Amino acid sequence: NVRELPDGCFRGRASLKRISFRKNSDLERIGCEALSGTGLEEVSIPDSVRELCDECFKDCKSLRRVTFGTSSQLERIGNKTFIGTNVEEVSIPDSVVELGDGCFYECKNLRRVTFRPSSNLERISYAAFTRTNVEEVSIPDSVRELGDGCFYECKNLRRVTFGSKSSLERICEDAFAYAGLESISIPDGVVELCYRCFACCEILSSVTFGPNPSLERICEAAFIRTNVASLIIPDSVVELGESCFEWCKELRQVTFGAVSNLERIGKRVFCLALALGSISIPDSVVELGEGCFYFCKSLKYVTFEADSKLEHICAYAFYNTGIESLSIPDSVIELCLRCFYRCKSLSSVTFGPSSSLERIGPDAFKGTSIVQIPRIEDPE
């Protein structure tokens, strides 16, 4: 009938190798650091336990096996609960709503994490599985957010899957940065891919989106230094953030939908996408950010859709690309500093009779093959 193991009650007892609970235990809470630093080798958590508090098994270096009953009532696994253990696999009970910050942080022997389809988990928190050796994971439909760095540097993580009824809305900062992912399919409900969420996943070659995506923003450096070969950007996307596909050396094709809502291609978005050969800019785009196609040496063909709303081609936007000819939309107001600098193959630039161009910045066409910039004709 013991209901609680108080905070720190067995802390540091290295000789404690085994703890057992009666079958009909009433235990509800294992307190903060209650069993931290003990010599436990395995533990079976009673079904009655509702909370594993912060650091309750911290630094139990011999702990390799943790099991939960099929009728577990556990609701929360606290912050850093299993940090410093050698747990090899874990099956998270359906009743768990929250995995605390760093709950399995750097558990380097952890290779398997299982969630059942009936899971009620809502959030995988900050650094929950950082630097583990988890090889694949199926995210429960109930999860709404993958927290900052939750699978950061999981270099053996090859596969992440989402259910057809996924509730996921956000993939947060560094969530899968430096992971070993080969492909990822983003669920329809995701609204935002945050800062560096898939950064430096060096073997990530395929990124796809569901049939009815809600995605609005691909944020700064989201896919920087990945191996993505082709992209279809959902119509729902409003902004491509700074450097989101920078240094994607294998990126050959980028496609936008017929009813794209994209307004801005940010700074250095496709910088150093060395294999990119052509691109058609949606009519909804208002600004091409600084250096957005910087050093895309294979980029020969750039077209703008009819009725383009583009107003600004910012500094260094097409620096050192392979563009051969270009027709500037009438809506463009400004060509900024060195926007076509060192485009050695660029020999022809045309402006429409209704051009709104007001300013051509310093060295905008320096280093090109253009002999003379065509005059903007007065429509009258």
Side-chain angles (χ1 to χ4, degrees), residues 167-179:
S167 302
L168 192 66
E169 296 173 358
R170 280 180 95 231
I171 300 178
C172 295
E173 293 184 14
D174 285 312
F176 294 97
Y178 295 95

Side-chain angles (χ1 to χ4, degrees), residues 288-296 299 302 304 310-323 326 328 332 334-343 346 349 351 357 359-368 370 373:
L288 296 179
E290 183 178 331
C292 59
F293 294 97
Y294 184 96
F295 228 86
C296 293
L299 184 60
V302 176
F304 300 94
L310 187 66
E311 295 180 357
H312 300 279
I313 300 178
C314 295
Y316 297 94
F318 292 94
Y319 175 92
N320 207 358
T321 60
I323 297 174
L326 198 66
I328 306 292
V332 172
E334 182 179 25
L335 301 178
C336 298
L337 170 72
R338 297 188 173 185
C339 57
F340 295 99
Y341 184 65
R342 294 190 66 187
C343 293
L346 182 59
V349 175
F351 300 90
L357 191 66
R359 183 174 181 271
I360 298 178
D363 297 330
F365 294 96
K366 186 175 181 179
T368 67
I370 297 171
I373 302 296

Side-chain angles (χ1 to χ4, degrees), residues 1-5 25-30 48-49:
N1 57 356
V2 171
R3 294 186 181 276
E4 180 179 15
L5 294 184
S25 172
D26 292 328
L27 188 68
E28 295 181 355
R29 180 179 183 270
I30 299 179
S48 56
V49 172

